[in-house]
Amino acid sequence: MAIATINPATGEMLKTFEPLNDSEIASKLDLAGQAFVQYRRTSFSERSQWLQQAATILQQEKADFAKIMTLEMGKPLKAAIAEVEKCALVCNYYAEYAPSFLADVDVKTDASHSFVRYQPLGVILAVMPWNFPFWQVFRFAAPALMAGNVGLLKHASNVPQCALAIEDIIHRAGFPQGAFQTLLIGAAKVADLMADERVKAATLTGSEPAGASLAAAAGQQIKKTVLELGGSDPFIVLPSADLEVAVVTATTARMLNSGQSCIAAKRFIVAEAIADKFEKLLLNKFLALKVGDPMQPDTDLGPLATPDILQDLNQQVQTAVNSGGKVLTGGHPLSDRPGNFYPPTIITDIPPNSAIAQEEFFGPVALLFRVPDIDAAIKLANATPFGLGASAWTTNDQERDRLITEIDAGAVFINSMVKSDPRLPFGGIKRSGYGRELSIQGIHEFVNVKTVWVN
Ligand code: NAP
């Protein structure tokens, strides 16, 4: 894939970038390796100050950064501004809490003194996706840099200007030269990077094939990885739920980022007793969404990020229809305009055991399933290869406890949509990946947990 900025709202190629050649990659690896030797000796208070300065830059220039995101991957501008603000939040969060998360932990044993010390691993490679082009990077970079690691970013090929802007922010914030660098390279170079002895570990957010490929390359080298992959999150609505609130939230949860979010609600599993009403209310909400120019403040749904994503999504919709699905609204790309626009779409009646019901729909398409009771709801919720998040709606305490315990996912949100929060761990099980980002668990992924015994 070419490294380029192509406006998804118009299809216009705006800028292309020459990928780094091998000797340029080698120089950046050298610089990263050298930077680590010094950077690991910096104090928490220095790192905190730099990270807080990064947060200040993000806040001060959020309108500019948001425009770059919208231009490159098409998310509505208001969502892009909120994303920059969340990046500032995660920087300030780790600036404040990392020192306590990484403080020595005394453990009573028969030694005179025994404790655990957390130390940085070195150069960490981050392979990142385009869908939250700032947030995904900062949620890696903030804890990694606070822990004393050095970062290398291989961002998605369609968001090069975001990748360069992030490198610039971290540099301007005061972090030493080489502490965080962007590599403009294609995916084919990632395995070589994993084989380089200066790179100690990697994190990847993206698709299953990309995750499997990175993990295989890392496995050859016995290097640690964290994988944040796809999801087909269920959104379960049981009869006792507040239906109005559930439907409003369902719409937001499916349409977030024009439907291109790993934790978007994708499968709506609704109790038969309330299914007709839910379906009608959801249809009304979807019909009211404004699809259009993502730069306009009142746009709810922008274009999909690339023509390939549009085509893949449309192919999945047609397969769903061929498998017995019924389209209530949408179902075809918007052909009356340039760009990668797909309308809000609802599909019902897909056989739950069909192959297509197992897939992730990465766009504004809601799949509606009806179930007789909570047993069937939980069974269907778990019937995918994924296990990222789940949202479930009930006011019954027993049902709530069963949903929390029996749903196989990295997160269960009751009467709320699934969302990431710096204070809580984020990640999946099954084919959604492994490891955690954010919170104390996230900062502990890329450290040497050193056992110390002193007599
Ligand atoms: P993708 O194609 O896997 O791309 C993600 C990143 O991986 C890009 O930087 C890409 O580089 C790189 N990449 C692609 N193939 C690779 C390979 N074989 N080896 C190493 N790197 C490779 O993902 P996408 O389709 O753009 O993103 C959507 C997917 O990401 C969805 O499944 C979504 O659910 C998932 N996602 C998960 C989370 C989470 O936190 N769990 C968050 C966001 C998105 P190029 O751009 O150069 O190909």
Side-chain angles (χ1 to χ4, degrees):
M1 191 157 50
I3 300 178
T5 301
I6 302 171
N7 185 347
T10 62
E12 198 186 346
M13 167 82 79
L14 298 173
K15 205 166 177 183
T16 56
F17 293 79
E18 204 48 48
L20 298 179
N21 62 34
D22 288 346
S23 91
E24 288 165 330
I25 296 172
S27 318
K28 288 193 183 270
L29 280 166
D30 274 343
L31 180 59
Q34 286 156 18
F36 178 62
V37 177
Q38 302 301 326
Y39 184 63
R40 67 178 307 171
R41 294 183 209 294
T42 57
S43 65
F44 280 134
S45 102
E46 286 172 302
R47 295 174 203 162
S48 289
Q49 275 173 29
W50 296 326
L51 207 52
Q52 279 162 349
Q53 184 56 26
T56 303
I57 296 171
L58 284 160
Q59 281 291 1
Q60 284 172 346
E61 299 172 34
K62 64 184 164 201
D64 295 337
F65 299 137
K67 269 192 202 132
I68 304 175
M69 276 194 258
T70 300
L71 190 71
E72 291 200 303
M73 52 67 66
K75 77 172 58 205
L77 193 62
K78 62 187 173 194
I81 291 172
E83 181 170 336
V84 182
E85 287 170 345
K86 197 165 171 183
C87 294
L89 184 74
V90 81
C91 288
N92 283 327
Y93 172 78
Y94 276 112
E96 182 174 354
Y97 291 104
S100 61
F101 292 161
L102 297 172
D104 289 351
V105 179
D106 282 345
V107 180
K108 259 197 177 332
T109 63
D110 39 354
S112 339
H113 183 201
S114 47
F115 59 98
V116 173
R117 175 162 293 175
Y118 299 105
Q119 293 186 302
L121 292 181
V123 179
I124 314 294
L125 173 68
V127 181
M128 290 290 146
W130 46 264
N131 62 341
F132 292 93
F134 267 59
W135 168 243
Q136 301 288 357
V137 177
F138 276 97
R139 80 179 185 186
F140 153 72
L145 289 167
M146 278 310 295
N149 291 306
V150 159
L152 283 179
L153 169 65
K154 181 267 176 278
H155 216 325
S157 293
N158 56 332
V159 289
Q161 298 195 49
C162 291
L164 293 170
I166 293 167
E167 179 185 53
D168 185 56
I169 292 164
I170 294 176
H171 182 66
R172 278 197 282 145
F175 283 95
Q177 190 74 15
F180 185 92
Q181 298 178 82
T182 282
L183 306 177
L184 290 184
I185 53 170
K189 291 281 178 201
V190 169
D192 290 348
L193 286 175
M194 286 317 302
D196 190 286
E197 62 84 26
R198 285 160 292 198
V199 174
K200 302 298 183 211
T203 180
L204 180 142
T205 300
S207 61
E208 282 179 76
S213 158
L214 177 99
Q220 287 293 324
Q221 309 296 330
I222 327 283
K223 288 179 185 173
K224 165 97 186 253
T225 51
V226 167
L227 299 181
E228 299 283 3
L229 309 178
S232 185
D233 284 7
F235 188 104
I236 299 172
V237 190
L238 296 177
S240 68
D242 181 332
L243 209 53
E244 297 285 336
V245 182
V247 169
V248 171
T249 312
T251 307
T252 309
R254 177 58 283 199
M255 293 304 161
L256 181 74
N257 213 28
S258 310
Q260 304 159 113
S261 167
C262 53
I263 49 167
K266 293 175 184 142
R267 297 175 299 133
F268 297 84
I269 300 172
V270 185
E272 190 69 62
I274 50 163
D276 282 343
K277 197 161 175 213
F278 180 88
E279 196 175 287
K280 196 161 154 249
L281 290 170
L282 191 72
L283 180 62
N284 287 340
K285 291 277 176 233
F286 274 34
L287 291 173
L289 292 168
K290 185 154 187 256
V291 184
D293 179 356
M295 291 289 180
Q296 295 305 318
D298 58 343
T299 294
D300 298 307
L301 211 66
L304 300 181
T306 68
D308 283 355
I309 292 161
L310 180 81
Q311 265 177 27
D312 290 351
L313 182 70
N314 191 42
Q315 185 57 52
Q316 286 179 302
V317 169
Q318 304 324 317
T319 305
V321 170
N322 293 337
S323 308
K326 194 172 130 211
V327 173
L328 292 191
T329 181
H332 289 285
L334 295 176
S335 53
D336 60 341
R337 60 193 89 184
N340 317 319
F341 288 94
Y342 207 87
T345 296
I346 300 176
I347 313 180
T348 61
D349 295 355
I350 300 178
N353 53 359
S354 60
I356 194 71
Q358 315 280 311
E359 291 187 13
E360 175 183 33
F361 281 62
F362 214 57
V365 178
L367 312 184
L368 248 63
F369 299 91
R370 292 170 180 235
V371 285
D373 54 28
I374 185 171
D375 294 314
I378 292 171
K379 192 167 169 221
L380 186 54
N382 288 338
T384 74
F386 301 109
L388 197 52
S391 172
W393 293 71
T394 176
T395 50
N396 176 303
D397 290 351
Q398 279 169 347
E399 285 180 350
R400 182 195 64 207
D401 290 345
R402 283 197 60 195
L403 292 158
I404 293 169
T405 308
E406 294 178 35
I407 291 179
D408 299 331
V412 175
F413 282 63
I414 302 291
N415 300 329
S416 167
M417 64 184 269
V418 180
K419 53 195 171 205
S420 61
D421 181 316
R423 296 165 296 187
L424 288 166
F426 183 95
I429 58 168
K430 296 159 76 180
R431 292 185 77 86
S432 293
Y434 51 74
R436 290 293 178 267
E437 294 192 281
L438 303 176
S439 74
I440 186 168
Q441 282 82 6
I443 201 168
H444 284 171
E445 290 287 359
F446 295 119
V447 289
N448 173 18
V449 182
K450 186 182 270 181
T451 294
V452 183
W453 180 291
V454 180
N455 265 341

